[in-house]
Amino acid sequence: MLVMLPAMLRASTPPVPSSPPERVIDLANIIEPALEAQLVASLRELEEKTTAQMVILTVAALNGETIEAFSLHTFEQWKLGQKDKDNGLLLTVALKERKYRFETGYGLESVLPDSFLGSLGREKLVPFFKEGKYGEGVAAATKEVLAVLAKHYNVQLGSSIPLQLHRPKAPPARITSNYSKEWAWQFIFYFGVFLFFAAVAAVVILTIVEKLGMIAGKIAGKLGMTSGGYSNNRSHSSSSWSSSDSSSSWSSSDSSSSSSSDSGFSGGGGDSGGGGASGDW
């Protein structure tokens, strides 16, 4: 049982009780009473059929504390989830800071991974929160969590949230003016003309250089003939070259430049809480 104790937890506004009185603690008063009752019923049924505990907490302000630290401390104080199962989940919403946090226990980390919770916040919470529909955003995210947990535990949850949750309309697509389109096409055209003439110029320059090289070779040949002609017995030893020039050799096995790349990657998962995902709107 979740029992209310007189002591208060953390320095939020309003102060958070040391033990959750119910599965939805709406201290910021942003969830409609009817919807709150439906959420409580669904979360109670979840615990009865799976032993997993999910609690929703809203506060008006965190008063300087980060959403991550606040959620972790609250999760640890409330000890959500069953002992030796750690199958608890806390959804925290801080109104003034415009931030939210999913905090999971170790037992649910593989069922509700950080990547899933991150996407869930961006796709379900943020669109509603931006329109001030906090209760509907919380309900939409909760429905997704319930569906995943019901499948994992192989149970049917009958106390589903009956309210129709209308996803906020996407903002209208940006209309590009005719002037902008015309400028874009002009830019593409002139850039293409520039590339064409640049290619032609490069071909002409290469051709000229090749011709000049041929002319220079012929002139050098004539000068060589007038200075003594060709000799069939000309020694090649003076002009010989060796491919074994040790002074200019190089080695590809330079040990001093060997790479010591560290491809290690450390994932999420915190103490006690296990993992989670944060976001803002």
Side-chain angles (χ1 to χ4, degrees), residues 131 167-173:
E131 292 192 357
R167 184 179 178 86
K169 296 181 180 179

Side-chain angles (χ1 to χ4, degrees), residues 18-42:
S18 60
S19 181
E22 201 29 287
R23 291 159 181 82
V24 178
I25 302 96
D26 183 24
L27 301 180
N29 295 317
I30 57 177
I31 303 177
E32 299 82 353
L35 182 55
E36 180 177 340
Q38 294 158 6
L39 287 168
V40 169
S42 295

Side-chain angles (χ1 to χ4, degrees), residues 222-275:
K222 290 179 179 180
L223 291 175
M225 292 176 65
T226 57
S227 63
Y230 290 97
S231 173
N232 294 331
N233 298 322
R234 184 169 59 177
S235 172
H236 293 278
S237 61
S238 62
S239 62
S240 63
W241 58 274
S242 172
S243 61
S244 60
D245 186 0
S246 60
S247 62
S248 63
S249 63
W250 61 274
S251 172
S252 62
S253 60
D254 185 0
S255 60
S256 63
S257 63
S258 62
S259 173
S260 59
S261 62
D262 182 8
S263 59
F265 175 81
S266 71
D271 297 333
S272 299

Side-chain angles (χ1 to χ4, degrees), residues 139-155:
T142 303
K143 288 184 70 173
E144 292 292 326
V145 171
L146 292 177
V148 172
L149 293 179
K151 182 178 180 180
H152 173 72
Y153 286 102
N154 194 26
V155 298

Side-chain angles (χ1 to χ4, degrees), residues 110-266:
S110 61
V111 185
L112 302 170
D114 298 354
S115 58
F116 167 76
L117 295 175
S119 299
L120 182 64
R122 292 187 297 270
E123 296 174 5
K124 298 299 180 181
L125 293 179
V126 172
F128 284 108
F129 284 9
K130 284 184 175 181
E131 292 192 357
K133 299 177 180 179
Y134 303 106
E136 292 190 21
V138 169
T142 303
K143 288 184 70 173
E144 292 292 326
V145 171
L146 292 177
V148 172
L149 293 179
K151 182 178 180 180
H152 173 72
Y153 286 102
N154 194 26
V155 298
Q156 286 188 340
L157 299 177
S159 301
S160 59
I161 303 168
L163 291 184
Q164 295 295 325
L165 302 175
H166 301 286
R167 184 179 178 86
K169 296 181 180 179
R174 184 178 178 182
I175 301 176
T176 306
S177 63
N178 292 331
Y179 175 80
S180 299
K181 293 180 179 180
E182 182 180 354
W183 181 88
W185 282 113
Q186 289 179 355
F187 173 79
I188 294 173
F189 172 77
Y190 287 115
F191 186 69
V193 172
F194 168 77
L195 291 179
F196 173 76
F197 282 107
V200 172
V203 172
V204 172
I205 291 173
L206 290 175
T207 303
I208 293 174
V209 171
E210 184 180 0
K211 293 293 184 182
L212 290 175
M214 294 174 62
I215 293 173
K218 290 179 180 181
I219 294 174
K222 290 179 179 180
L223 291 175
M225 292 176 65
T226 57
S227 63
Y230 290 97
S231 173
N232 294 331
N233 298 322
R234 184 169 59 177
S235 172
H236 293 278
S237 61
S238 62
S239 62
S240 63
W241 58 274
S242 172
S243 61
S244 60
D245 186 0
S246 60
S247 62
S248 63
S249 63
W250 61 274
S251 172
S252 62
S253 60
D254 185 0
S255 60
S256 63
S257 63
S258 62
S259 173
S260 59
S261 62
D262 182 8
S263 59
F265 175 81
S266 71

Side-chain angles (χ1 to χ4, degrees), residues 19-65:
S19 181
E22 201 29 287
R23 291 159 181 82
V24 178
I25 302 96
D26 183 24
L27 301 180
N29 295 317
I30 57 177
I31 303 177
E32 299 82 353
L35 182 55
E36 180 177 340
Q38 294 158 6
L39 287 168
V40 169
S42 295
L43 297 179
R44 184 181 294 119
E45 183 186 19
L46 171 70
E47 182 175 356
E48 291 173 353
K49 292 185 177 181
T50 68
T51 73
Q53 286 183 332
M54 177 178 178
V55 173
I56 299 168
L57 169 65
T58 72
V59 295
L62 295 174
N63 298 334
E65 190 170 14

